Amino acid sequence: MWTRAAVVALLAREYDVAVSLTTVGRYLKAWGFRVQQPVRRAYERNDAAIARWLKTEYPAIVRDAKREGATIYWGDEMGLRSAHVTGTSYALVGQTPVVRATGQRFGCSMISAITNRGHLVFRVFHGTFRAPMFVDFMRRLRLQSPGKVYLIVDGHPTHRSKIAKAFVAANTTDFRLIQLPGYCPELNPDELLNQDVKTNALGKSRPRSREEMMTAVRRHRFRRQKQPHVIKNLFQEKHVRYAA
C-alpha cells in the first residue's frame, strides 16, 4: 500500500533524503497521483492465463460464434441477504444516520445471463445454488434462444459438475459452456449487473420477509429487461470492453 509515509521511508532508505509528508503529498498531486481504493486480487490469480484468454481464446470464441450463428451469453449467480445495506445518506456531522430494517435473517439466490445486445434472462430462487438448478437454467436458456448458445461462466464447482458436463455433452449441436480463467470476476459484465441489483434493488428496499425480497429483486430485473441500453453499457466498462 503506497502512502505518503511509505514514500518518505523509501526516499530516506534509497537516497538518504528527508522529506515531509506535506511535500510528498504536493509532489504526488502534481504528478497526477491521487488516493484511490485498491482493487482486491486473489493470490491464486494467473495473470498470464488471463492475458492469453483475452488475446487468443476469446477472439477464437467470437469467430466460432459468428460462424455458427450463436449468441454469446455471460452468466453468473449470487446470493442476497437481508442484512445487506448499501448507499449513502445526508446527516449532520458527527451523527451517523440509522436505517431501520428487519432483524430477521433470510435471503435468496439468483442466476442470470446477459448479452452485449442488451438481452437479459434470470431466475430468482430460494435455497443453495446446486448443479440441478444450473442445468435447468441452461436448458431453459437453450429453449428460449433461437440459435446456438455460448454461455461463459466462472469456475464455480457447480459449473464443473458431472451433470452439467453431461448436459453440455448431450447438447453439443446447440449449446457450448465456456469457463473464464480462475479468479477474474472483473472480466464478467454480469458481475456488474449483480452489483446493480444489490445497490438499486435490495439496497434501496427494506424487505421484511424472503418473499418481499424475491419480489423486489424480480421487479428490478424485469425493469432491466425493458432497458437493454443499461445492459449494453455494462459491456463498455473499461475492464470488459473486449466482450463484444
Side-chain angles (χ1 to χ4, degrees):
M1 300 286 288
W2 282 106
T3 62
R4 292 182 302 166
V7 175
V8 168
L10 177 67
L11 291 173
R13 187 189 69 187
E14 298 295 330
Y15 303 102
D16 195 25
V17 175
V19 183
S20 69
L21 293 176
T22 302
T23 300
V24 169
R26 187 169 62 249
Y27 272 103
L28 290 175
K29 183 177 181 180
W31 293 337
F33 288 88
R34 297 291 185 274
V35 177
Q36 301 182 52
Q37 181 72 33
V39 176
R40 185 177 182 275
R41 291 286 183 267
Y43 287 122
E44 299 84 355
R45 178 186 174 94
N46 188 331
D47 290 326
I50 294 172
R52 182 171 60 253
W53 197 88
L54 291 172
K55 184 178 180 179
T56 305
E57 296 180 30
Y58 181 71
I61 292 171
V62 173
R63 290 193 296 270
D64 291 344
K66 289 181 178 179
R67 185 181 66 254
E68 296 186 299
T71 301
I72 299 177
Y73 283 87
W74 299 75
D76 195 35
E77 59 282 330
M78 72 168 177
L80 298 165
R81 297 293 176 266
S82 58
H84 180 76
V85 177
T86 188
T88 58
S89 176
Y90 278 99
L92 293 173
V93 176
Q95 298 184 17
T96 304
V98 176
V99 174
R100 296 291 182 183
T102 179
Q104 299 182 40
R105 301 290 181 175
F106 53 84
C108 66
S109 299
M110 181 186 65
I111 181 172
S112 61
I114 61 176
T115 74
N116 68 328
R117 295 189 176 184
H119 187 53
L120 162 66
V121 295
F122 71 93
R123 183 174 182 180
V124 180
F125 59 95
H126 166 51
T128 305
F129 179 62
R130 300 188 184 279
M133 176 67 69
F134 180 53
V135 171
D136 183 65
F137 181 79
M138 289 192 293
R139 182 181 297 110
R140 292 170 181 264
L141 182 60
R142 179 177 63 87
L143 294 175
Q144 293 177 12
S145 302
K148 187 170 183 176
V149 171
Y150 282 27
L151 178 59
I152 301 177
V153 294
D154 59 23
H156 192 283
T158 299
H159 303 154
R160 298 180 278 109
S161 64
K162 291 183 178 179
I163 64 172
K165 292 179 179 179
F167 171 83
V168 175
N171 296 276
T172 55
T173 58
D174 52 10
F175 200 94
R176 180 179 173 185
L177 185 63
I178 302 163
Q179 288 190 2
L180 286 163
Y183 302 97
C184 58
E186 75 279 2
L187 296 184
N188 191 343
D190 202 21
E191 291 273 0
L192 299 177
L193 190 61
N194 289 343
Q195 293 302 316
D196 170 62
V197 171
K198 289 181 179 179
T199 300
N200 297 310
L202 184 58
K204 294 182 179 179
S205 64
R206 300 292 176 262
R208 297 175 180 270
S209 66
R210 178 179 292 110
E211 290 70 25
E212 286 187 12
M213 174 184 286
M214 297 176 70
T215 297
V217 173
R218 288 192 183 103
R219 185 183 297 117
H220 183 75
R221 283 291 170 119
F222 284 134
R223 182 163 58 250
R224 287 292 184 247
Q225 284 183 327
K226 299 177 182 178
Q227 299 171 322
H229 64 282
V230 175
I231 307 300
K232 291 179 181 179
N233 287 340
L234 301 179
F235 289 84
Q236 299 304 315
E237 294 291 334
K238 63 181 181 180
H239 54 284
V240 295
R241 283 181 184 169
Y242 71 90

